[in-house]
């Protein structure tokens, strides 16, 4: 059986690979197939495609053909194209625009198959599981479809059911993608710089997460918790709850939420919704996700945004999310602030931070491009100063100068373009950048929070103290190993004593500096929070800490002036 199964699997892989080659030939990518087909079967495969099909395909542009290839090859390649559309650093702008048009609406599974998936995953019949189960889905895509369900508690649920066998199709397609990547790297050396295999690896990681509904349920819960824990008055977003008892890797149960799609302007106005209020609330909710939560919806198109009766915005479909580190949130805040201040040098510094200090081949050219960008920014009409415009122009500069920024940068830029398109339909006069400013300032002040800084300094002092305590023991162990012959050291150094003295002096100065910073921060906190005892409404502990910090500072300055001549 093992041999038969192995032959079957190999046949599937070969068959799928041949199918990919045929579709490429059909749409005129014969030069690419010549590289991929190493067994000289190119002419044979060409004969299998009707001339009429090839003739019709010629009428499309090269970029449109690439989109059609993805659509014809099915869900894996559609998803691959959609993910590539978020990487303008890898593909040309024209192709990005085409790939954004990719759609994966397909006919639903047979009712009996969908029901079987649900019952297999949840280990019971739909009659026992639910008070009511609608066999006909109300939404259908290439990876999953969604059914109306009512729980025995009376709660209405949207049940997302994965297509039967889709995981096997995706695994076979990924195998074929790896084979294509390996052949291209071997036969076209110039493509190595694009790392085709690395691109496939990233895609594999992304799509395997997408077909694991447990992962999506975690995204929903995380997003839901961010909103729930935000008790501010400007929290206008909502998300569905997840029913974990009815959720597996292939079935996802979410609270069913009804509302009006945010781009249905006529319906919204007929129901007396104020579109200007909705535009402002959507803008606020989006900037909160970026600059406060650090976890944002990366595909906020109108189909994923519902307007609820209370004028709140409900987000749907959490398969594509962006996540940012607190450090990166602060960097983005600084980036937009430095642009408004026309601070070219700091803009360059921030872009270097985003790209992990990647080397810049021509600093003068980069400085010129940034300066041009800043000057153009200031002479535009006010409503053209949207943040997406800023990011997209910066994106072009980043790509031109070979800077490697995190993937979420492009996710952020693309999602910002999408959400701004929705906002402009609701209110063309809304100044989005003005709404963003308070969140930008908050993202900067978070980094310089006195309590957090105090904790960091205190932790650093503790770590340094621990190291100083452990150092003699480490030194003794090293000497023992040298004496026992486990380590052989050949050390010849003239003037070793002055060097040791210098190291000791620098260590003392570092410890003193840490203590000074800790005392100053502590003094600030004592005074701000009016810690008793007080003298003329000022904390005596705070004054004492400041005085001690000054004394230590004078001592350190005196030590620095002496230099290495005090031994």
């Amino acid at each position: 059986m093992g041999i038969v199964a192995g032959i079957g699997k190999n046949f599937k892989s070969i068959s799928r690979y041949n199918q990919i080659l045929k579709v490429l030939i059909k749409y005129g990518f014969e030069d690419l197939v010549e590289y991929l087909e190493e067994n000289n079967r190119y002419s044979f495969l060409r004969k299998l495609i009707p001339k009429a099909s090839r003739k019709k395909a010629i009428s499309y542009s090269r970029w449109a053909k690439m989109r059609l290839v993805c659509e014809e090859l099915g869900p894996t390649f559609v998803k691959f194209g959609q993910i590539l559309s978020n990487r303008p650093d890898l593909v040309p702008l024209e192709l990005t625009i085409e790939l954004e048009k990719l759609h994966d609406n397909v006919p639903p599974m047979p009712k009996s198959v969908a029901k079987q998936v649900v019952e297999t995953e949840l280990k019971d019949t739909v009659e026992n599981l639910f008070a009511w189960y609608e066999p006909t889905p109300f939404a259908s895509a290439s990876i999953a479809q969604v059914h109306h369900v009512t729980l025995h508690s009376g709660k209405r649920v949207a049940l997302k059911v994965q297509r039967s066998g889709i995981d096997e199709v995706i695994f076979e397609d990924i195998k074929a993608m790896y084979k294509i990547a390996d052949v291209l790297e071997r036969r076209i050396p110039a493509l190595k710089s694009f790392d085709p295999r690395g691109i496939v690896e990233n895609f594999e990681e992304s799509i395997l997460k997408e077909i694991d509904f447990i992962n999506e349920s975690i995204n929903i819960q995380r997003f839901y918790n961010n909103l729930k824990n935000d008790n501010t008055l400007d929290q206008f977003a909502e998300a569905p709850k997840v029913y974990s008892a009815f959720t597996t890797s292939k079935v996802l149960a979410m609270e069913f939420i009804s509302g009006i799609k945010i781009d249905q302007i006529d319906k919204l106005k007929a129901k007396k919704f104020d579109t200007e209020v909705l535009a402002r609330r959507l803008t606020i909710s989006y900037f909160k996700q970026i600059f406060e939560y650090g976890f944002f919806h990366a595909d906020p198109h109108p189909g994923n945004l519902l307007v609820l009766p209370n004028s709140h915005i409900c987000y749907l479909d959490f398969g594509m999310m962006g996540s940012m580190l607190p450090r990166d949130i602060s960097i983005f805040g600084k980036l937009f602030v430095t642009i408004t201040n026309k601070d070219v040098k700091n803009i360059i510094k921030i872009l270097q931070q985003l790209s992990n200090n990647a080397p810049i081949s021509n600093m003068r050219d980069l400085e010129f491009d940034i300066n041009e960008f800043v000057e153009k920014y200031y002479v535009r009409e006010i409503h053209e100063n949207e943040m997406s415009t800023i990011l997209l122009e910066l994106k072009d500069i980043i790509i031109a100068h070979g800077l490697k920024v995190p993937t979420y940068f492009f996710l952020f830029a693309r999602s910002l373009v999408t959400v701004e398109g929705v906002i402009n339909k609701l209110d063309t006069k809304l100044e989005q950048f003005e709404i963003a400013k308070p969140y930008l300032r908050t993202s900067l002040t978070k980094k310089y929070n006195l309590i957090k800084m105090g904790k960091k300094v205190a932790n650093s002092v503790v770590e340094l103290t621990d190291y100083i305590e452990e150092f003699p023991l480490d030194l003794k162990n090293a000497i023992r190993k040298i004496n026992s012959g486990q380590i052989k050291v050949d050390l010849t150094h003239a003037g070793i004593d002055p060097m040791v003295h210098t190291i000791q002096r620098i260590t003392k100065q570092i410890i003193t500096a840490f203590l000074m910073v800790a005392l100053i921060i502590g003094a600030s906190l004592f005074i701000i929070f009016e810690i008793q005892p007080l003298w003329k409404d000022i904390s005596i502990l705070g004054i004492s800490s400041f005085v001690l910090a000054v004394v230590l500072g004078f001592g350190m300055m005196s030590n620095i002036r002496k230099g290495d001549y005090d031994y």
Side-chain angles (χ1 to χ4, degrees):
M1 283 296 290
I3 295 172
V4 174
I7 293 170
K9 283 183 179 179
N10 286 332
F11 178 77
K12 278 185 184 178
S13 298
I14 294 166
S15 176
R16 182 57 171 157
Y17 188 71
N18 286 340
Q19 188 183 359
I20 292 168
L21 296 181
K22 283 167 62 180
V23 172
L24 287 171
I25 293 170
K26 174 182 172 180
Y27 285 97
F29 296 104
E30 297 175 353
D31 50 347
L32 177 61
V33 174
E34 283 188 53
Y35 282 109
L36 295 175
E37 182 41 60
E38 299 177 289
N39 298 321
N40 298 319
R41 291 182 296 113
Y42 163 73
S43 56
F44 170 71
L45 290 170
R46 199 171 191 275
K47 289 175 183 176
L48 298 176
I49 303 162
K51 288 182 181 179
S53 298
R54 291 206 308 271
K55 189 175 180 181
K56 184 181 178 184
I58 292 170
S59 62
Y60 296 103
S61 70
R62 184 174 183 81
W63 312 118
K65 286 177 189 175
M66 290 183 181
R67 170 176 59 82
L68 291 167
V69 165
C70 291
E71 287 181 357
E72 190 159 330
L73 287 175
T76 314
F77 287 84
V78 167
K79 291 295 175 187
F80 185 64
Q82 288 172 340
I83 288 171
L84 272 185
S85 72
N86 294 317
R87 296 300 306 272
D89 56 325
L90 295 176
V91 297
L93 177 63
E94 298 88 347
L95 179 56
T96 300
I97 292 167
E98 278 297 329
L99 293 177
E100 285 174 353
K101 297 175 186 175
L102 282 168
H103 57 83
D104 57 358
N105 290 322
V106 294
M109 289 183 279
K111 294 175 184 179
S112 59
V113 174
K115 184 181 175 184
Q116 185 180 4
V117 172
V118 174
E119 292 181 339
T120 302
E121 287 296 309
L122 300 181
K123 297 179 172 57
D124 206 342
T125 64
V126 291
E127 290 79 15
N128 290 337
L129 290 164
F130 311 113
W132 178 72
Y133 167 84
E134 174 55 60
T136 303
F138 65 87
S140 176
S142 58
I143 286 179
Q145 58 191 47
V146 190
H147 295 255
H148 281 301
V149 169
T150 304
L151 302 182
H152 290 295
S153 63
K155 293 283 186 184
R156 294 182 71 198
V157 169
L159 194 70
K160 187 173 179 180
V161 182
Q162 191 172 118
R163 284 186 174 272
S164 178
I166 192 67
D167 49 350
E168 293 177 14
V169 172
I170 288 169
F171 293 145
E172 287 301 324
D173 283 351
I174 289 172
K175 279 185 196 174
M177 285 179 173
Y178 274 121
K179 183 174 180 181
I180 290 169
D182 290 341
V183 173
L184 290 177
E185 278 191 359
R186 190 169 65 253
R187 303 195 70 180
I188 312 176
L191 286 178
K192 280 189 178 179
S193 60
F194 289 95
D195 189 17
R197 190 172 179 86
I199 293 169
V200 176
E201 284 173 359
N202 289 336
F203 168 68
E204 180 182 18
E205 182 183 350
S206 174
I207 198 166
L208 291 183
K209 280 183 181 176
E210 188 165 346
I211 62 173
D212 180 4
F213 290 173
I214 296 292
N215 180 70
E216 186 175 348
S217 73
I218 291 168
N219 284 344
I220 299 170
Q221 196 61 50
R222 184 176 170 188
F223 192 85
Y224 178 86
N225 288 341
N226 285 340
L227 302 180
K228 186 179 177 182
N229 296 331
D230 185 347
N231 298 317
T232 56
L233 295 174
D234 58 354
Q235 206 299 87
F236 304 115
E238 293 189 23
K241 294 178 185 176
V242 173
Y243 294 95
S244 54
F246 302 96
T247 296
T248 71
S249 61
K250 295 184 178 181
V251 173
L252 173 59
M254 300 166 285
E255 177 186 8
F256 179 80
I257 297 178
S258 60
I260 302 172
K261 284 187 181 180
I262 203 163
D263 62 337
Q264 295 178 331
I265 307 297
D266 292 338
K267 278 190 180 181
L268 292 172
K269 288 182 176 178
K271 294 283 185 180
K272 307 299 181 186
F273 284 103
D274 188 331
T275 55
E276 292 181 8
V277 169
L278 294 174
R280 187 174 187 83
R281 289 186 169 187
L282 176 58
T283 307
I284 290 169
S285 80
Y286 185 77
F287 289 140
K288 273 178 164 281
Q289 292 171 45
I290 300 291
F291 297 109
E292 289 190 4
Y293 312 150
F295 186 65
F296 62 95
H297 197 294
D299 193 20
H301 66 74
N304 288 337
L305 300 170
L306 292 181
V307 177
L308 305 184
N310 59 358
S311 292
H312 281 199
I313 314 295
C314 181
Y315 288 78
L316 303 172
D317 192 352
F318 296 84
M320 192 182 292
M321 303 295 291
S323 188
M324 297 166 67
L325 294 169
R327 164 188 173 273
D328 295 331
I329 296 170
S330 176
I331 288 173
F332 265 109
K334 282 195 291 183
L335 177 62
F336 287 111
V337 170
T338 51
I339 289 168
T340 57
N341 293 336
K342 300 178 73 171
D343 189 345
V344 173
K345 285 187 177 178
N346 267 323
I347 293 171
I348 292 172
K349 192 183 292 184
I350 291 163
L351 290 179
Q352 282 182 296
Q353 285 178 327
L354 272 175
S355 60
N356 287 327
N357 296 312
I360 296 169
S361 57
N362 194 325
M363 180 62 79
R364 186 178 178 83
D365 281 357
L366 177 60
E367 194 169 342
F368 178 82
D369 287 346
I370 295 291
N371 187 65
E372 285 293 293
F373 156 72
V374 168
E375 293 300 329
K376 279 191 266 182
Y377 169 80
Y378 269 87
V379 297
R380 285 196 191 102
E381 293 294 323
I382 192 163
H383 293 302
E384 292 179 0
N385 283 335
E386 283 127 349
M387 293 171 74
S388 62
T389 308
I390 295 170
L391 284 181
L392 289 174
E393 292 202 9
L394 276 178
K395 175 212 74 179
D396 293 337
I397 294 170
I398 285 165
I399 293 169
H401 290 272
L403 295 172
K404 297 287 184 185
V405 294
T407 305
Y408 68 74
F409 179 92
F410 300 111
L411 271 179
F412 179 24
R414 184 178 179 273
S415 61
L416 196 53
V417 171
T418 305
V419 85
E420 283 182 357
V422 178
I423 291 163
N424 287 333
K425 284 183 180 179
L426 296 167
D427 182 5
T428 55
K429 297 177 182 177
L430 184 70
E431 295 179 20
Q432 297 158 29
F433 198 75
E434 289 302 313
I435 295 174
K437 281 180 180 177
Y439 301 102
L440 296 175
R441 290 192 207 103
T442 303
S443 71
L444 291 175
T445 54
K446 273 183 183 177
K447 186 178 179 182
Y448 301 106
N449 180 287
L450 281 176
I451 295 173
K452 285 185 179 178
M453 287 175 70
K455 285 181 180 177
K456 283 181 182 177
V457 171
N459 288 336
S460 299
V461 171
V462 170
E463 285 177 13
L464 188 60
T465 305
D466 289 343
Y467 176 73
I468 291 168
E469 285 179 2
E470 292 168 5
F471 180 73
L473 182 62
D474 292 340
L475 187 60
K476 282 180 184 177
N477 289 334
I479 291 168
R480 282 196 195 101
K481 287 182 179 180
I482 291 168
N483 290 336
S484 65
Q486 288 177 275
I487 300 174
K488 292 184 179 179
V489 179
D490 182 12
L491 180 64
T492 303
H493 194 289
I496 191 76
D497 288 341
M499 184 186 75
V500 171
H501 177 81
T502 301
I503 292 170
Q504 288 174 341
R505 187 173 57 79
I506 291 170
T507 303
K508 287 177 186 175
Q509 288 173 2
I510 290 170
I511 294 170
T512 304
F514 272 121
L515 289 172
M516 281 174 58
V517 173
L519 285 166
I520 290 168
I521 291 173
S524 303
L525 295 173
F526 288 144
I527 291 169
I528 290 168
F529 293 106
E530 298 181 352
I531 303 299
Q532 294 183 348
L534 302 177
W535 178 72
K536 293 186 178 180
D537 295 330
I538 300 174
S539 171
I540 293 173
L541 288 173
I543 296 170
S544 304
S545 297
F546 268 126
V547 170
L548 185 55
V550 170
V551 171
L552 285 172
F554 277 118
M556 190 169 72
M557 291 303 296
S558 173
N559 188 265
I560 290 169
R561 277 198 298 272
K562 285 181 182 178
D564 286 335
Y565 305 102
D566 58 344
Y567 61 89

